[in-house]
Amino acid sequence: MLSDQQVRQKINQLLDYAQKALDLDPRDRMLKLNTLLDLFKQTAPAEDTPDYCDFQTDIADPLVQYAVDSGITDEASRILFETRMFGVVTPLSSAVTDKFYALQSERGVKSATDWLFSLSKANDYVRMTDIKKNIKWEYVGKFGKIGVTINLSKPEKDPKQIALAKLQPKSGYPACMLCESNVGFAGNLNHPARQTLRTIPITLGGEPWWLQYSPYQYYEEHAIAFSDEHRPMSVTPKSFERLLDFVDLFPHYFMGSNAALPIVGGSILTHDHYQGGLKVLPMMSVGSRAEYRSDAFPEVKFSVADWYNSVVRLTSSDKKQIHAAASLVLDKWNCWTDESVGVICKTTDQHNAITPIVRKEGDSYIVDMILRNNRTDDAHPYGIFHPEERLHNIKKEGIGIIEVMGLFILPGRLKKELAEVEKYLTGENTFNKEALSADDHPMRKHGGMIEALLSAHGSALSAKSAKQAVADYVNDACVQILECTAVFKNDEIGQAAFAKFMKDGLGLKRA
Ligand SMILES: [Zn+2]
């Protein structure tokens, strides 16, 4: 355990770091010093501030370890405590907002977001040490590249923590993970601490919204815009107004909304929010396979993106026209039925939905509208335009905005499980169909994959070839998952139905 003297020196080092990396105002140093002495139950500060090499391993980690060792906190609350500590030295919301807007007016909006993003990493709100553990690769398929990430950044909870979390009383505050009331929230075992979260007030469609970074960073500068009001997700013409306003404010970012229905929407349907960030998602780089024009919107170019699923792309430098055109596509798609391809817009519930993504290139707005449908039937209880059951070992959850644009976030459990699959191909594990289909077999869900791989490759591969074969299988599965989400399949019948929607549904002519 650290001595009192060492703890006090590390507190000084933490304050130096905060002044340098978090823009802590030196005028606040004394206040923060005394707050930290209180947090670490110290009676006086150290006189000196020794040099150090790495901030995380030399200062932050040992201070948190000291808090655990000395009983200030407990093992299960390690991250809660670390967030509390960083929260003390992170500037107040008012100072962060003032600095953000000062940078925007003096040096441009990119400087402002660069600064906020760097602050969000430096105070460990974005836990880069964890995010760097993710396994990422790219794969080039028939319609361009896709990205695959095995998400190892969410720390696994041990059974003891899970048991403790269950005992926590549920207060219903904050109402969800996105509400503005998360800023400064101390957290508990069921809800992350957010003392390090800083949000920037913005105006979208004349309404108060907030900008923050995603703590998970699934891609570069992964940002979130969320409504000041806790209200359900919805995609309406008003959404396009807000998304277009967003890219006017932040032309170096894209912004998009999940569809507002389960299965095709994101994990949070209870709070109206959008996801954006740098324009790096695979779908954005593909061209078009068919172009259309409209007499009603002469300034808007309509096209079908050359992508795995069904994307209507609008391009125009006329904000009013592109807004009206996007609203028309939404309106028409929401009630479009074409039984020849299984698209039924509504049964008892609404099934057609749109995932809109907006970005700006120069003066041009680009609105990508991914057509979705969440209908289920007896043969497809998880969704007709959802990954087939044979692909559920790779991804079973709803396919949201990030995935439909070609970036797959796969669960961390796959790291271990895929390594186990490889062992069947090298002969280290012996395939026994009966044993593998037992309810309690840990690899049961991968049975189909193992069988398919064995019949293609046999069981005498080298470790390297086995790894490649499994990666190829996962890549192909991701492409198939994307194709499952296509309401108009990439075959003759599907594309004819797509053309019919463009012409008859939207009243467009081939350009
Ligand atoms: Zn909320």
Side-chain angles (χ1 to χ4, degrees), residues 83 125 173-187 191-199 212 226 230 271:
T83 310
Y125 162 70
Y173 176 84
C176 77
M177 299 281 281
L178 283 170
C179 280
E180 171 63 9
S181 51
N182 279 281
V183 174
F185 185 65
H191 195 111
R194 289 288 182 246
Q195 290 106 327
T196 47
L197 168 64
R198 295 296 179 267
T199 55
Q212 68 172 68
F226 63 98
H230 177 78
H271 195 126

Side-chain angles (χ1 to χ4, degrees), residues 415-461:
K415 185 189 173 191
K416 256 191 204 158
E417 293 170 1
L418 295 180
E420 217 40 53
V421 174
E422 289 164 20
K423 290 184 191 164
Y424 287 91
L425 301 181
T426 58
E428 197 178 324
N429 284 347
T430 312
F431 178 68
N432 176 329
K433 193 165 181 174
E434 205 177 319
L436 203 56
S437 29
D439 279 347
D440 60 346
H441 197 289
M443 294 295 284
R444 182 175 188 261
K445 58 176 162 303
H446 297 296
M449 173 182 185
I450 294 166
E451 216 177 336
L453 281 165
L454 281 173
S455 86
H457 300 283
S459 59
L461 292 187

